[in-house]
Amino acid sequence: MAAQRFDPSTLRRTVLEMARAGNTVHIGCAFSIIELLAVLYRQHLRYPGNDPKAEGRDYLVLSKGHGVMAQYACMRELGWIDDQTVQTYFGDGTHLKGLSDSRVPGLEVTSGSLGHGLSVGVGLALGAKLRGTDQQVYALVGDGELNEGPIWEGALFAAHHDLRNFTVIVDENGYQAMGTTEDVLKLGSIQAKFESFGFEAITVDGHDEAAIDAGLNQLKASANTKPKALVAKTVKGKGVPFMEHNNIWHYTRLTDETYAQALAALPVTLKEGRA
């Protein structure tokens, strides 16, 4: 049986490999979006000729730029980043930074300062609409990021301009850097909030690849002109039991011991030999 492209376990191993090589962090917030990115790259995003800068490509804006290791892992699957470059992550002189950097082909927006990615995505969607193309624009934001006012300014703008080609995906893992979203700033129903801002919104299990795919297809097929919101219920640190729901893995670095333990917790895949 052929190995599945964008296998979540393989992607998580790449994230661990990069985090170990770069002696850096943000593992938990990368693990929560693995399945979301896997489904997007495998089944939805269009890159003519597998070219990350192709004219007419769809756009993915990673607004929560601290999760960029998950996107790098997908870009490795696409051949946009080679195995040797993965080992340079976060090192001196590398172009693979700890936050999303638009100078890297495949990363559309420099982000990490939270709250502006949604608005950039809305601008890209408006541009595509004015050009009359069928390009789709996806902006992936964190739930803690919804504390930022520009998120809601961009949402109003998207609804006002009937940007049906724009989809915001919310990684609702219930945490932000300094604690739970419930403790830091209560959000209430994220789906209801986007609906009140003029979006068509649905909520799915953010680790169920079939549900994510079906949700995105449902939104894309909708006959109305509203922008779309996919609220994904996720687990921070998903995939490694001692990291799940444990917010210290937002910042904590791997040791030799925790690296080995994390690798051992992930299912073995047909690409095991590369890990």
Side-chain angles (χ1 to χ4, degrees):
M1 182 177 70
Q4 181 188 37
R5 205 176 191 195
F6 305 106
D7 174 81
S9 184
T10 301
L11 298 176
R12 287 191 169 91
R13 286 173 181 275
T14 295
V15 169
L16 291 174
E17 186 180 347
M18 298 182 85
R20 189 66 177 136
N23 190 27
T24 188
V25 290
H26 290 150
I27 299 169
C29 28
F31 276 6
S32 67
I33 59 173
I34 288 288
E35 281 80 9
L36 293 169
L37 291 181
V39 172
L40 281 169
Y41 278 108
R42 185 193 305 130
Q43 288 149 268
H44 292 272
L45 290 167
R46 298 169 300 175
Y47 291 93
N50 192 31
D51 179 356
K53 302 186 76 172
E55 291 292 329
R57 68 186 182 279
D58 291 337
Y59 296 106
L60 171 61
V61 176
L62 183 67
S63 192
K64 48 166 286 181
H66 51 300
V68 73
M69 284 192 292
Q71 193 167 5
Y72 288 148
C74 292
M75 292 163 66
R76 185 191 205 182
E77 295 283 310
L78 291 161
W80 298 350
I81 298 175
D82 61 34
D83 293 353
Q84 185 176 6
T85 302
V86 164
Q87 297 300 323
T88 71
Y89 172 71
F90 214 65
D92 291 340
T94 184
H95 66 288
L96 299 185
K97 309 291 197 308
L99 299 171
S100 182
D101 185 333
S102 63
R103 289 172 294 185
V104 179
L107 301 182
E108 302 290 359
V109 172
T110 298
S111 62
S113 297
L114 299 173
H116 69 282
L118 184 145
S119 294
V120 173
V122 167
L124 291 169
L126 178 62
K129 179 181 178 181
L130 294 175
R131 292 192 300 274
T133 74
D134 66 349
Q135 292 166 282
Q136 298 294 312
V137 181
Y138 302 90
L140 178 50
V141 306
D143 50 356
E145 191 178 1
L146 301 185
N147 297 359
E148 306 284 349
I151 291 282
W152 304 107
E153 295 175 29
L156 286 170
F157 188 91
H160 178 80
H161 289 280
D162 297 326
L163 297 181
R164 63 180 302 172
N165 61 337
F166 175 73
T167 301
V168 58
I169 301 172
V170 182
D171 170 27
E172 188 180 8
N173 62 40
Y175 287 92
Q176 51 196 95
M178 305 310 294
T180 68
T181 54
E182 183 70 11
D183 288 338
V184 176
L185 193 61
K186 293 179 181 177
L187 291 166
S189 169
I190 294 174
Q191 177 175 334
K193 278 186 168 57
F194 275 98
E195 287 172 339
S196 73
F197 274 69
F199 280 58
E200 180 175 354
I202 59 175
T203 298
V204 300
D205 179 340
H207 299 299
D208 183 333
E209 293 174 82
I212 297 165
D213 180 45
L216 290 171
N217 282 327
Q218 176 184 329
L219 291 171
K220 188 176 180 181
S222 175
N224 68 47
T225 61
K226 295 179 179 180
K228 319 301 182 190
L230 184 82
V231 181
K233 297 277 192 181
T234 64
V235 173
K236 195 166 186 174
K238 177 70 176 180
V240 175
F242 68 84
M243 294 182 175
E244 293 183 357
H245 303 292
N246 187 345
N247 211 33
I248 68 169
W249 290 101
H250 189 98
Y251 286 126
T252 303
R253 289 174 168 79
L254 290 164
T255 64
D256 289 341
E257 182 180 11
T258 54
Y259 176 63
Q261 290 173 347
L263 281 179
L266 293 170
V268 175
T269 73
L270 294 178
K271 293 185 178 181
E272 177 75 10
R274 198 185 66 181

